[in-house]
Amino acid sequence: ANPVDSRYNPELSVVDNIKLPPTLLSRFDLIFLVLDRVDARLDRMLARHIVAMYGTTPEVLTAGVLTRDQFSDYVTFAKQHVHPRISDEAFQLLVSSYVRLRNPLGADGQAGTSNARKVITATPRQLESLVRLSEALAKMRLSEWVEAVDVNEAVRLMQVALQKAATNPRTGLIDMDLITTGVSSDMRAARDELQKKIKRALATIPGTTMLFDALSTAVGGGFTR
């Protein structure tokens, strides 16, 4: 997905940048940002690859690199013949890893304010993603079992993706609400607090509180502006 106006704004969330509905965005197991940054080494590698696609002399493959046909056969074989099961060790590691993702601050929740504890950093959907990623990594090894090494790599990929795609640009914290609802936890809290203040201010005027409640329901439970 390309960003709005063809340029990614780091001051905005991923949802605000690419304008995909949260119901669709939340279904991806991993979301990685691929940003076009100036890097002479990477630019040269990309340019050589693109030019080689149009040239008569193909790129020389590095030793150990599979050809396109070899890679296709490898993937086909893994899909058809490898169906890994989760080992007891991997089972326990998946559970503990999910708990850590849910509570990155630890049991005491000390790295921040009380509001930080209310931020959702992982949901059951992320746990399902970890299972799928672990199974896929085991398939890559043509293994019959999902092992700890697969879970650890799945967790690493998940953490990197969340840091890139689910970090609230205003707080610097991972906030899954950005992906699942399109609204960050701090913005929702600020909106709720604003509603309370408006209701308290209108409480002195007969009938206005009921009108405000009706308007809030009509626009989906709260004003966004």
Side-chain angles (χ1 to χ4, degrees):
N2 293 322
V4 178
D5 299 327
S6 300
R7 184 170 295 277
Y8 192 87
N9 184 351
E11 301 298 323
L12 300 177
S13 67
V14 171
V15 175
D16 291 331
N17 266 288
I18 63 179
K19 295 300 182 183
L20 280 179
T23 52
L24 174 61
L25 196 62
S26 62
R27 293 184 178 276
F28 291 99
D29 288 338
L30 297 172
I31 302 174
F32 285 102
L33 302 181
V34 182
L35 304 179
D36 186 14
R37 294 191 175 96
V38 178
D39 186 307
R41 183 181 64 86
L42 296 178
D43 292 343
R44 185 174 294 104
M45 291 175 59
L46 178 61
R48 289 176 59 88
H49 173 72
I50 293 176
V51 173
M53 294 173 61
Y54 294 92
T56 56
T57 304
E59 285 187 289
V60 178
L61 294 177
T62 306
V65 176
L66 298 178
T67 65
R68 181 180 300 177
D69 290 339
Q70 288 174 331
F71 182 75
S72 178
D73 292 341
Y74 180 86
V75 172
T76 300
F77 179 85
K79 285 184 176 181
Q80 294 179 352
H81 301 287
V82 183
H83 306 285
R85 292 172 291 175
I86 298 177
S87 65
D88 292 339
E89 182 183 14
F91 180 93
Q92 297 298 332
L93 190 54
L94 280 167
V95 173
S96 61
S97 298
Y98 174 68
V99 172
R100 285 198 303 273
L101 285 174
R102 288 277 294 181
N103 188 22
L105 304 180
D108 55 0
Q110 286 185 1
T113 66
S114 58
N115 288 334
R117 305 177 196 174
K118 300 178 183 179
V119 176
I120 302 299
T121 55
T123 68
R125 182 163 285 177
Q126 273 65 58
L127 177 56
E128 294 176 337
S129 296
L130 285 178
V131 173
R132 286 191 291 266
L133 291 168
S134 299
E135 290 175 339
L137 289 162
K139 278 191 175 185
M140 288 175 58
R141 299 187 297 104
L142 304 181
S143 172
E144 296 182 356
W145 292 95
V146 176
E147 299 176 1
V149 63
D150 304 311
V151 177
N152 287 330
E153 178 61 11
V155 171
R156 186 191 70 82
L157 291 172
M158 178 70 68
Q159 289 175 327
V160 172
L162 290 177
Q163 288 171 356
K164 295 293 184 180
T167 297
N168 186 335
R170 284 179 290 271
T171 65
L173 299 174
I174 293 176
D175 187 351
M176 285 307 301
D177 280 355
L178 282 171
I179 303 298
T180 57
T181 68
V183 180
S184 64
S185 297
D186 64 317
M187 287 296 293
R188 182 178 291 102
R191 185 177 63 186
D192 292 344
E193 182 62 25
L194 178 60
Q195 283 184 303
K196 293 177 182 177
K197 290 181 178 180
I198 294 176
K199 291 183 69 174
R200 286 196 296 268
L202 295 176
T204 57
I205 306 175
T208 55
T209 301
M210 293 179 61
L211 177 61
F212 179 80
D213 290 338
L215 289 173
S216 297
T217 302
V219 297
F223 294 107
T224 58
R225 296 180 183 270

